[in-house]
Amino acid sequence: MSDKNPESSTSSTSCPFSISRSLTDSQTVGEENAYANALAQFDNALAHLKIKRGVADTLRYPKRELSVSFPVLMDNNDIKIFRGYRVHHSVVRGPTKGGIRYSPGVTLDEVRALAMWMTWKCALMNLPYGGAKGGVVVDPKLLSQRELERLTRRYATEISLMMGPESDIPAPDVGTNAQVMAWIMDTYSMHRGFSVPAVVTGKPVEIGGSLGRTEATGRGVAVTMLEALRLNGIDPQSATAVVQGFGNVGSVAARMAQEMGLKVIAISSSKGGIVRESGLDPSALARHVEESGSMLGFENADQISNEELLALKCDVLIAAAVENQITSRNADQVKAKIVAEGANGPTTPEADEILNAKGVFIIPDILCNAGGVTVSYLEWVQDLQSFFWPVEEINRKLQNLMLKAFESVMECARNYNVPNREAAQILAIKRISDALIIRGIYP
Ligand code: NAD
């Protein structure tokens, strides 16, 4: 017996499952198309470099893209179809590396942009990787833990064509975490017949994860923020910070900013934020969110919208949520002296121009949030040699690599007389095009 409407989500009597469709592939347009923004930034940097057109075009487009639709058995016996992607942007400097995002807003263009930014980030940090990214169009908060596990194991199987410890090594991003990485590692290992811990990073330490990885991105944000304060002659002990996004990156960056002496006056998540002029305690707020599920009701703090938060007077604005938060619509409202881009792509090219004209010191995403991929690299190296380092060694290596990259971006900005983002991309693109020319064009 067949179901009359193939799109119907109601069960047919002969089939134990019903099929409902949750496929979407809506692409954003205009200023908020992340790939268009990544290309605009690329062209800005390219204008300062003498690179052959064909070499530049090789870096303009992703190396390979996989788009998958796959079924997942839900707890109520429905089968839902999900859409996912994995994009490799460049393999010139080594295997590809990049996170996996679970979010209802995931699009192919977003994944392309994030993969491209990963290529620049790895080259800027001098890590032997190209860039990649993956994503599934899903709100993980709407799934049970069993559903999340089934979705992850199926997605991992679908992209296993693209994944491997020598070819492409995923990591967590928005909506994914160490547990999701553990399921991916286990799925891949089951297919191979033996454990392959180096296939993903950001895993729990019990199965080959690195000490310090969970905090690495936020720690890197804090390291670059401190350098930016020093360079701008601002004493951290009298400085204020505002943090947009209170997930992995934002919560650690907020805690470390407070430990470094800054007063964190406002923090937000997707549901809005809170402000307290006398300073918030990020650790106490994290406990409050853990217990109550939201920032609401945190003692002696007033509610604030994300728009209002971005316009607060402060020394450092840590943008640690998602892309396209500072745009042509609100950039002139930003009063921060320093914008630390903990998120990928939080500032559009149009907003960049406005902030640059105002003299705002931007720590660009590919530098500011590179702590995550840096410790991911250290995790991968530890996995490959099956020899693990203490957290002090990891943090020291992270700090040294971040400071070195920060200094080279500042030097490049001075030499080319360009804003920090252009400087960071100039350095990265030059390294990759040099490697491409040395390798030669196959065959
Ligand atoms: P997460 O899912 O742990 O946290 C995201 C946070 O942002 C949540 O608090 C969420 O509520 C908030 N948020 C989402 N949309 C928002 C909005 N419109 N306004 C305000 N808050 C909003 O994700 P994460 O891992 O912390 O990643 C955050 C950003 O950092 C992303 O751009 C990600 O690509 C980037 N990043 C993450 C890592 C990493 O290691 N996790 C590494 C490099 C870059």
Side-chain angles (χ1 to χ4, degrees):
M1 194 191 295
S2 68
D3 198 332
K4 274 183 193 150
N5 178 1
E7 303 283 313
S8 159
S9 64
T10 55
S11 309
S12 75
T13 46
S14 63
C15 176
F17 312 124
S18 62
I19 296 179
S20 62
R21 299 181 72 82
S22 62
L23 284 180
T24 57
D25 192 10
S26 56
Q27 299 282 34
T28 42
V29 290
E31 189 182 341
E32 298 196 352
N33 183 300
Y35 186 48
N37 291 347
L39 288 174
Q41 294 168 352
F42 177 61
D43 285 332
N44 282 343
L46 212 55
H48 299 276
L49 290 167
K50 290 190 182 65
I51 291 181
K52 264 184 147 176
R53 171 129 182 232
V55 171
D57 283 346
T58 311
L59 300 180
R60 188 179 298 278
Y61 307 112
K63 162 91 182 152
R64 53 177 85 94
E65 303 179 340
L66 180 67
S67 168
V68 295
S69 320
F70 57 94
V72 175
L73 181 63
M74 310 305 280
D75 289 346
N76 66 358
N77 262 357
D78 269 4
I79 296 171
K80 269 197 175 180
I81 312 297
F82 291 87
R83 169 146 294 185
Y85 307 100
R86 185 76 186 164
V87 171
H88 294 176
H89 174 258
S90 168
V91 296
V92 173
R93 284 170 47 94
T96 53
K97 188 92 191 77
I100 290 174
R101 177 172 290 197
Y102 287 173
S103 159
V106 163
T107 64
L108 182 54
D109 271 354
E110 182 186 57
V111 179
R112 286 174 176 144
L114 291 162
M116 194 177 200
W117 286 324
M118 280 306 295
T119 301
W120 309 153
K121 196 182 299 181
C122 293
L124 178 64
M125 296 307 294
N126 235 335
L127 308 177
Y129 291 134
K133 206 79 182 188
V136 178
V137 186
V138 60
D139 183 347
K141 291 198 202 90
L142 301 182
L143 301 185
S144 71
Q145 195 72 350
R146 296 285 318 273
E147 290 169 341
L148 191 63
E149 179 174 349
R150 284 196 289 265
L151 176 136
T152 298
R153 288 184 181 279
R154 180 65 190 240
Y155 170 68
T157 305
E158 298 285 345
I159 66 161
S160 59
L161 294 167
M162 303 269 279
M163 194 169 54
E166 288 123 15
S167 56
D168 176 35
I169 306 114
D173 190 72
V174 173
T176 58
N177 55 23
Q179 178 60 70
V180 171
M181 294 307 115
W183 290 326
I184 296 178
M185 177 271 196
D186 186 67
T187 302
Y188 186 86
S189 299
M190 287 298 135
H191 293 174
R192 297 299 307 274
F194 50 88
S195 287
V196 189
V199 70
V200 287
T201 58
K203 302 176 293 292
V205 287
E206 291 83 349
I207 56 167
S210 177
L211 294 170
R213 173 60 184 90
T214 310
E215 300 81 20
T217 310
R219 181 177 292 276
V221 170
V223 169
T224 57
M225 180 193 70
L226 206 58
E227 283 304 287
L229 285 169
R230 192 181 53 76
L231 213 62
N232 286 276
I234 304 170
D235 178 5
Q237 304 300 322
S238 58
T240 52
V242 163
V243 184
Q244 189 202 35
F246 200 56
N248 174 298
V249 181
S251 62
V252 176
R255 182 163 51 79
M256 297 209 170
Q258 190 203 33
E259 282 168 16
M260 289 167 171
L262 284 89
K263 194 157 69 169
V264 181
I265 57 170
I267 300 180
S268 70
S269 72
S270 56
K271 294 177 195 146
I274 53 170
V275 59
R276 191 202 283 162
E277 285 301 325
S278 61
L280 295 159
D281 176 358
S283 302
L285 179 62
R287 284 193 296 277
H288 176 83
V289 172
E290 178 82 31
E291 281 157 20
S292 71
S294 114
M295 292 186 183
L296 294 183
F298 190 62
E299 58 180 302
N300 300 327
D302 297 321
Q303 264 180 266
I304 189 171
S305 72
N306 264 297
E307 274 311 294
E308 290 167 326
L309 175 129
L310 293 173
L312 284 175
K313 191 165 179 292
C314 60
D315 292 298
V316 191
L317 169 62
I318 300 177
V322 282
E323 57 264 27
N324 299 326
Q325 296 305 299
I326 307 175
T327 68
S328 58
R329 286 189 299 280
N330 61 7
D332 62 339
Q333 314 277 314
V334 171
K335 296 180 194 69
K337 295 181 189 127
I338 295 167
V339 172
E341 295 187 332
N344 287 307
T347 312
T348 65
E350 288 85 345
D352 242 352
E353 276 188 35
I354 299 168
L355 295 185
N356 287 333
K358 281 168 44 141
V360 177
F361 186 98
I362 300 175
I363 313 170
D365 47 8
I366 61 168
L367 170 66
C368 189
N369 68 38
V373 71
T374 302
V375 175
S376 272
Y377 165 64
L378 301 179
E379 177 175 334
W380 182 69
V381 170
Q382 291 171 89
D383 287 338
L384 291 177
Q385 63 186 6
S386 298
F387 181 67
F388 294 86
W389 306 322
V391 71
E392 295 75 18
E393 190 165 346
I394 308 278
N395 289 344
R396 194 174 56 249
K397 284 184 160 73
L398 169 64
Q399 166 119 351
N400 290 343
L401 288 166
M402 294 300 300
L403 292 178
K404 197 167 165 199
F406 187 93
E407 184 43 47
S408 41
V409 171
M410 294 307 115
E411 192 184 328
C412 183
R414 281 193 298 274
N415 291 346
Y416 284 85
N417 194 23
V418 291
N420 297 340
R421 186 185 318 283
E422 257 168 78
Q425 298 214 351
I426 286 170
L427 268 175
I429 293 165
K430 171 114 182 44
R431 281 182 188 156
I432 303 155
S433 70
D434 286 352
L436 180 61
I437 288 164
I438 292 166
R439 281 180 67 156
I441 303 297
Y442 178 84

